[in-house]
Amino acid sequence: MQLFYPGNDGKYINIGETAAELVVEGANSFPTRVPVPNGGVYFGLRGPEETFVCDEETTATSAFYNGEVRYGTAAPFGTENSLGTPVTAVVEPDYDRDEYGDETQDGCPKGVEYQSACPKVTLRLSAKSRDRAIVVWVRTSTSGAIVKIFGQVGWNFKPRAQRPRPKVRMIVSLSGGGKFIDPRVKGRFRVPLPKLVLRRLSRLAPDESLTAKIAARSTDLAGRVETKRIRVRLKGQGNPLP
């Protein structure tokens, strides 16, 4: 099969073609692929003696050329009103431009590296408290994964009041943002500690601590969500902020 653009003076330009196939009498079906550009494309067939191009409006009219029109070349075609071109092609979308049709050929339409089922993403996570922040390192098992880092720090305290009151739990949210992670390298995120957390740490002795809960979340190419969690110990500073 070939693809043609109509040119000037009755010429058609061969802009794409599949590998040659051997046809037999009756219906023939071939699992072949060829990229199809948008707009104004005609389908055709060529053999050793003639080349035919489908008319876009009727199956009983073909443009024809006595000879082969090879890829990248143009030739003047005539018109035959009583002869159709016996070819049918199914054009499918190709979201990731890997030249596999998304509907029947590509099991992972959003991943250019995969044509079978999209692999499930897995995450490996480590973290450490460092310089008024938590540094998080993440590895992913597949490409095309956006990883987001978030978490929280909590502690109990007694509100100031004239009368006794029960302890209250303070929860402070943490965020390290999100970005693409290449599976070949370890992604690094910096999660800044809010002033409220730093102030609390400044009031704790070095042998005291808070616990930060950090989570890494990613959605794979099939829309499945993977979340990995880790706890990080934040040591008291014992040096109140001014």
Side-chain angles (χ1 to χ4, degrees):
M1 189 183 71
Q2 294 178 301
L3 301 179
F4 290 90
Y5 267 149
N8 298 323
D9 301 326
K11 291 184 177 181
Y12 285 82
I13 306 168
N14 182 345
I15 61 168
E17 60 184 14
T18 66
E21 303 282 0
L22 178 64
V23 297
V24 297
E25 183 178 354
N28 292 264
S29 178
F30 304 104
T32 189
R33 306 187 320 276
V34 59
V36 179
N38 292 328
V41 179
Y42 290 74
F43 293 97
L45 295 174
R46 74 171 172 90
E49 297 181 0
E50 292 181 314
T51 300
F52 292 90
V53 176
C54 292
D55 183 88
E56 63 180 355
E57 297 180 354
T58 175
T59 59
T61 302
S62 292
F64 72 92
Y65 174 73
N66 290 321
E68 292 185 286
V69 183
R70 297 189 177 276
Y71 176 72
T73 64
F77 279 67
T79 301
E80 178 59 62
N81 294 321
S82 60
L83 180 66
T85 302
V87 61
T88 300
V90 178
V91 180
E92 299 182 5
D94 184 14
Y95 179 88
D96 55 6
R97 298 183 181 277
D98 62 355
E99 299 185 6
Y100 285 80
D102 293 345
E103 297 172 357
T104 64
Q105 300 173 343
D106 198 344
C108 190
K110 294 184 179 180
V112 67
E113 299 178 11
Y114 312 104
Q115 282 74 53
S116 57
C118 296
K120 189 177 187 301
V121 65
T122 58
L123 303 174
R124 288 187 292 169
L125 186 64
S126 61
K128 186 175 182 179
S129 175
R130 181 182 295 176
D131 190 25
R132 299 192 174 207
I134 299 172
V135 179
V136 182
W137 293 273
V138 181
R139 282 193 179 275
T140 67
S141 59
T142 63
S143 62
I146 297 179
V147 178
K148 295 182 179 180
I149 301 295
F150 58 96
Q152 63 181 31
V153 180
W155 63 88
N156 296 326
F157 72 100
K158 290 183 178 180
R160 295 179 181 178
Q162 296 293 332
R163 60 190 181 190
R165 289 190 179 183
K167 292 182 179 179
V168 176
R169 184 73 175 171
M170 173 68 74
I171 303 294
V172 181
S173 297
L174 305 174
S175 177
K179 59 184 176 182
F180 278 102
I181 300 298
D182 189 322
R184 296 170 296 181
V185 299
K186 186 184 292 187
R188 182 181 184 275
F189 296 80
R190 186 177 185 275
V191 184
L193 295 177
K195 289 184 179 180
L196 193 60
V197 176
L198 294 174
R199 189 176 297 277
R200 179 65 179 177
L201 290 173
S202 72
R203 294 172 179 171
L204 298 179
D207 60 344
E208 297 178 300
S209 65
L210 298 177
T211 299
K213 299 177 181 179
I214 298 295
R217 179 170 294 166
S218 181
T219 303
D220 65 23
L221 296 169
R224 297 166 297 201
V225 177
E226 171 78 358
T227 303
K228 192 76 172 180
R229 295 179 172 85
I230 194 172
R231 293 174 181 263
V232 182
R233 180 171 177 261
L234 307 176
K235 294 177 60 177
Q237 301 301 310
N239 183 23
L241 295 176

